[in-house]
Amino acid sequence: MAVLQIGTIEAIRNKKTQLLDNWIKGLQASGATRNLKEHDLQQQTSEFINLLSAGLENGNGSSLAIGAWTDIRQFLERLSASRALLGHDSQQTASFIFAFKGPLFGLLQEHYRNEPEQLAEQLWEVSELLDALGMHTIATFQKSREAVIKRQQEELLELSTPVVKLWDGVLALPMIGTLDSQRTQMVMESLLQRIVDTGSEIAIIDITGVPTVDTLVAQHLLKTVTAIRLMGADCIISGVRPQIAQTIVHLGLDLQGVVTKANLSDALKLALTRLGVSVEKAV
């Protein structure tokens, strides 16, 4: 890693205010400060320069992997995670580091104006150091972003599989979109828990919003039905359109023992009948 002279480290420390001002101006010009509060930006840039100075003093000439650079690595990881939550992309996040190059290069040119060889050497070492920090920032940003996306997907799955109480003892689960193993598992867990919580006797799975039913989807449905029955409840599948019925027949799928209805209202009527409830229109 960087083999920097004491003069370079002292120049960074002594010209901190100048570096901060020019760095922040560069960040603002590049659009990397979107959704950031001015106070937070001031604090983050100042903390980075302090950690950079400490790392150079204790880990000069070493890899970023050693303990001397632990604090600045952890700082960049926290920064990347916060940028991911703010909706920044990798370019905006990496700009936090790369925008620091211009002000720092300008400072070194002033400091080594009479020593061109030293200037070239120090510019190279500083560039390598900032590139390594920038790459670490991008790598940790990608991990943070993937974690955010995964959590959002899980939240969407939960929102897309709501369990609704239609009547005392009757639950409905309207399915929308394609069924897969992960979603089926979440559906079963959510539905079974609601059966326990409400003591419901009948669960209706409405597949009106499921675009297609193939062998895999049918297997997922059968697993869910089996799990419901093991909990001591009955299951009705509604929303079996003509196209889906034809597909099931052509595929030779065995749905014997599974009660199906064309729509949710018919399924509810059957559920109420099984519960001994009679609903009549008011005269």
Side-chain angles (χ1 to χ4, degrees):
M1 192 47 63
V3 182
L4 299 179
Q5 296 184 0
I6 297 299
T8 299
I9 300 173
E10 291 179 349
I12 294 173
R13 186 186 302 111
N14 296 335
K15 297 290 186 179
K16 177 182 175 180
T17 302
Q18 176 184 330
L19 276 174
L20 281 174
D21 291 342
N22 293 334
W23 185 15
I24 291 174
K25 288 178 182 177
L27 287 170
Q28 291 172 337
S30 67
T33 60
R34 180 173 60 87
N35 297 337
L36 289 176
K37 296 179 180 178
E38 184 176 350
H39 171 74
D40 292 339
L41 182 61
Q42 289 278 358
Q43 185 178 21
Q44 290 168 354
T45 51
S46 180
E47 184 178 357
F48 175 82
I49 291 181
N50 291 336
L51 292 173
L52 178 65
S53 300
L56 289 172
E57 291 175 359
N58 300 320
N60 196 12
S62 303
S63 168
L64 284 182
I66 70 167
W69 296 102
T70 299
D71 290 342
I72 199 167
R73 289 200 315 271
Q74 292 177 346
F75 165 79
L76 292 175
E77 288 162 8
R78 294 193 301 271
L79 181 88
S80 298
S82 66
R83 295 295 195 271
L85 291 174
L86 289 172
H88 288 200
D89 56 27
S90 57
Q91 181 178 352
Q92 287 174 299
T93 305
S95 291
F96 180 84
I97 299 297
F98 296 132
F100 186 58
K101 278 189 174 185
L104 185 53
F105 286 4
L107 175 64
L108 294 181
Q109 286 176 337
E110 180 182 344
H111 187 77
Y112 292 105
R113 59 182 177 274
N114 297 323
E115 302 174 81
E117 291 184 2
Q118 293 290 342
L119 172 62
E121 176 188 294
Q122 294 301 287
L123 287 177
W124 176 261
E125 300 296 349
V126 164
S127 181
E128 279 198 324
L129 171 62
L130 293 180
D131 286 347
L133 293 173
M135 292 304 296
H136 181 73
T137 303
I138 293 174
T140 54
F141 171 83
Q142 294 293 351
K143 291 180 181 178
S144 299
R145 190 61 179 162
E146 288 170 3
V148 170
I149 292 172
K150 182 178 180 181
R151 186 174 68 253
Q152 290 175 338
Q153 288 175 335
E154 291 173 350
E155 291 172 352
L156 285 173
L157 278 176
E158 292 177 358
L159 291 173
S160 65
T161 53
V163 180
V164 183
K165 184 176 180 180
L166 296 181
W167 201 275
D168 287 339
V170 181
L171 297 178
L173 176 68
M175 301 292 296
I176 300 174
T178 304
L179 285 175
D180 55 25
S181 299
Q182 180 184 3
R183 192 174 180 203
T184 301
Q185 182 65 29
M186 185 170 292
V187 165
M188 280 197 289
E189 291 176 359
S190 178
L191 185 54
L192 295 180
Q193 186 60 49
R194 285 282 284 166
I195 290 174
V196 172
D197 294 341
T198 61
S200 297
E201 302 175 33
I202 299 175
I204 301 172
I205 300 177
D206 184 68
I207 61 172
T208 303
V210 177
T212 57
V213 172
D214 55 18
T215 304
L216 186 60
V217 172
Q219 289 174 349
H220 289 322
L221 286 173
L222 288 173
K223 287 180 182 178
T224 305
V225 171
T226 301
I228 292 170
R229 287 175 174 171
L230 289 173
M231 295 297 295
D234 289 332
C235 183
I236 302 171
I237 297 178
S238 65
V240 182
R241 304 184 302 278
Q243 299 89 336
I244 290 180
Q246 290 177 7
T247 301
I248 291 174
V249 171
H250 288 315
L251 291 174
L253 301 177
D254 184 11
L255 294 182
Q256 288 186 358
V258 179
V259 179
T260 61
K261 289 295 179 181
N263 52 60
L264 184 58
S265 63
D266 289 343
L268 179 58
K269 286 180 183 178
L270 176 60
L272 294 177
T273 300
R274 288 185 175 182
L275 294 176
V277 177
S278 177
V279 180
E280 298 179 358
K281 291 182 179 180
V283 179

